[in-house]
Amino acid sequence: MKQIAILLIILMCSCDDGEKTEKPLDITDYSVSTCQTGIETTLGEPVLRMTLPASWDENWFASPSVYDLDGDGTLEIIASRHSVLYVWNNDGTLRWRAAWSFNSTDEEDHGGSRMWSSPVIADFDGDGYAEIAVGSDADSSSGVNVAVYDHEGILMPGWPVHFGGAHEVRSITAADLDNDGIWEIIVNKTAEGPVTAVYNLDGTMRDGWPQVTESCNPEGAEECWDFGGYNQNIGVADMDGDGDCDVISTYDAIGFGIFHGDGSPFPTHESFSDRVITAVEAYHDLALSQQGWGSGDRSEFTYSPPVLADIDGDGDKEVVLVGDHEHSSSTENQGVTLWVINHDMTRPSGWEWPKDTGNPQKAEDLGQNIVSTRPSPSVGNIVEYSGLEIIFPAYDGYMYAFTSDGQQLWRYKFATPFSYTGASEALIADLNGDGIPEIIFNTFSSGDPREPDSDAHIIILNNRGEVIHKVPIFGRGSMAAPTLADVDGDGAVELIISLKDTLGGNEGGVQIWDLPGAGSNCLQWPTGRGNYERTGEYRY
């Protein structure tokens, strides 16, 4: 019996605690020339400054924004939490709140629809004041799922609108597609197509949209893949270098689409039998993808936000996707697969075959309104190596870093052994001024509201994937990427988090954390989707 007890103690002590970094690629030089060295400091452990006043609204995947809405030189904090859009002054006092589909001046305290994704913020009409675009679900009394507010929380003329049936707009961004000085609002919705639409700023549908219709081939000759986006599945960037923004939309299907601003689809390279991108099936085997049919591994892009960046430094932007790995004979999930694809569907050097990760964690009963990790990529220059690196959380419980030519740089295990732990999209920034970026993300836990099965954390890694700081956060943590910004203009950057749960009472779930010693140097990917327009484009 004594020997059995000793063995049990050894087994218990040898359990994986979830904190582990593996570095399969040996890089001797971890410096970075992209980031200018500032005043180097020692980065202290994050310290909670305040929780902003709010109500009981929970958060899904909406990153907070920090923006000067009224052009007065001071910043505001903006967050969409379930059915309420909040704006606070930078001292933490509430400026206004607007229930979904209502004005900030209306009496309604809450709406009937949730806002899944981050608010989109820019000066859409060039009047010197910022506007805010948000998406929601239409399965409620409001019957609308896209809205645009002015800087005071008043709905803009023509808004809100309804796109599709009782479907949810989880994906929203904005851009000036025709370079006329007035921006358009671009969305992707769940369920059956057409799922991608572009609205004019007056709430009318732009000519050529929605996409895709019965056929997206210019000759009307072939079927196109198009069925819903279930994360933040829309992006905008100039993909062909013509000076105009293009729309990139990913689907709950074995493909994705790239469209010009007028809705016309991007053509494929002549080596593909399918003539437009949104008709191509995403087989891992390039020959099958070019052929257009076959039996083999492939990916769906159900939860895959598109990231747009010149990964390999060839002067052209590529599309970065993290798709769900399945097989043509079975939809059983085998984890996620990292893709880098040129805008004509050819594959850059090193990406001839996409990169697989491990099998998913068990994610059966996660608790009320908790979903599994969404594989949202970030890009930046984190080591002195050719091109940009790609960071993303995977279903297997690891945060991965890959090089521009498809080699795994490292992976850090955020999962815990005894309960489900997920991770948010990662931020990339040089916090301590040494010219070398850090990686910052939140984790979240299964469990009931305010009763997590395990602790959630803010995690800060160095560019080798090693832990610098790991600090507990309230409740079940945050499924959404945090935001880095100098909220109060003192030259020091803060971390703003929108928690899944609220603290209760008059305290909501949006928090400001101080990062002792942190400056605003080299903010390469400072918020969810890379910027406050939520385009997914790398701009540093």
Side-chain angles (χ1 to χ4, degrees), residues 284-301:
H284 295 191
D285 186 335
L286 177 58
L288 293 181
S289 190
Q290 291 169 323
Q291 177 177 273
W293 57 274
S295 176
D297 290 331
R298 60 189 191 182
S299 290
E300 289 192 352
F301 300 112

Side-chain angles (χ1 to χ4, degrees), residues 28-29 69 76 88 141 155 227 242 254 351 373 391 403 429 538:
T28 57
D29 186 2
L69 293 177
E76 288 77 48
W88 296 272
S141 57
L155 287 161
F227 192 94
D242 67 354
I254 49 175
W351 298 96
T373 294
I391 314 291
T403 64
Y538 178 72

Side-chain angles (χ1 to χ4, degrees), residues 404-480:
S404 60
D405 57 4
Q407 301 183 75
Q408 185 182 313
L409 181 61
W410 50 256
R411 67 175 188 171
Y412 166 78
K413 188 173 184 179
F414 58 78
T416 53
F418 303 117
S419 62
Y420 185 86
T421 302
S424 73
E425 175 185 345
L427 310 183
I428 302 171
D430 173 18
L431 298 177
N432 64 354
D434 64 355
I436 302 174
E438 286 77 44
I439 292 87
I440 308 98
F441 60 96
N442 302 319
T443 63
F444 60 92
S445 171
S446 57
D448 294 325
R450 305 184 196 175
E451 297 179 1
D453 292 333
S454 60
D455 285 344
H457 296 88
I458 300 167
I459 296 179
I460 303 177
L461 307 177
N462 64 21
N463 67 338
R464 299 171 183 260
E466 301 161 339
V467 174
I468 300 174
H469 293 299
K470 184 177 180 181
V471 178
I473 51 178
F474 176 78
R476 294 176 293 174
S478 177
M479 301 190 294

Side-chain angles (χ1 to χ4, degrees), residues 303-514:
Y303 301 115
S304 179
V307 164
L308 304 321
D310 182 5
I311 295 296
D312 55 10
D314 67 350
D316 291 324
K317 289 186 175 67
E318 290 80 41
V319 182
V320 178
L321 302 170
V322 185
D324 284 15
H325 181 186
E326 60 178 44
H327 192 274
S328 55
S329 63
S330 171
T331 58
E332 180 180 357
N333 186 272
Q334 301 175 48
V336 298
T337 301
L338 175 63
W339 295 73
V340 175
I341 309 171
N342 295 320
H343 71 259
D344 62 358
M345 288 303 292
T346 58
R347 303 179 187 181
S349 177
W351 298 96
E352 293 85 358
W353 198 282
K355 315 305 175 185
D356 292 327
T357 61
N359 289 322
Q361 300 180 72
K362 290 183 179 179
E364 296 170 356
D365 183 15
L366 301 186
Q368 180 180 321
N369 293 344
I370 291 287
V371 299
S372 60
T373 294
R374 295 301 186 246
S376 302
S378 314
V379 297
N381 184 202
I382 70 166
V383 296
E384 193 57 49
Y385 191 84
S386 176
L388 301 174
E389 286 71 51
I390 304 166
I391 314 291
F392 65 95
Y395 296 159
D396 60 6
Y398 285 88
M399 186 70 72
Y400 284 84
F402 274 80
T403 64
S404 60
D405 57 4
Q407 301 183 75
Q408 185 182 313
L409 181 61
W410 50 256
R411 67 175 188 171
Y412 166 78
K413 188 173 184 179
F414 58 78
T416 53
F418 303 117
S419 62
Y420 185 86
T421 302
S424 73
E425 175 185 345
L427 310 183
I428 302 171
D430 173 18
L431 298 177
N432 64 354
D434 64 355
I436 302 174
E438 286 77 44
I439 292 87
I440 308 98
F441 60 96
N442 302 319
T443 63
F444 60 92
S445 171
S446 57
D448 294 325
R450 305 184 196 175
E451 297 179 1
D453 292 333
S454 60
D455 285 344
H457 296 88
I458 300 167
I459 296 179
I460 303 177
L461 307 177
N462 64 21
N463 67 338
R464 299 171 183 260
E466 301 161 339
V467 174
I468 300 174
H469 293 299
K470 184 177 180 181
V471 178
I473 51 178
F474 176 78
R476 294 176 293 174
S478 177
M479 301 190 294
T483 292
L484 288 166
D486 181 4
V487 174
D488 48 16
D490 65 352
V493 73
E494 287 82 36
L495 188 70
I496 303 90
I497 298 174
S498 188
L499 297 167
K500 177 61 182 175
D501 302 323
T502 59
L503 273 67
N506 293 323
E507 290 190 297
V510 176
Q511 297 183 325
I512 301 175
W513 287 72
D514 290 314

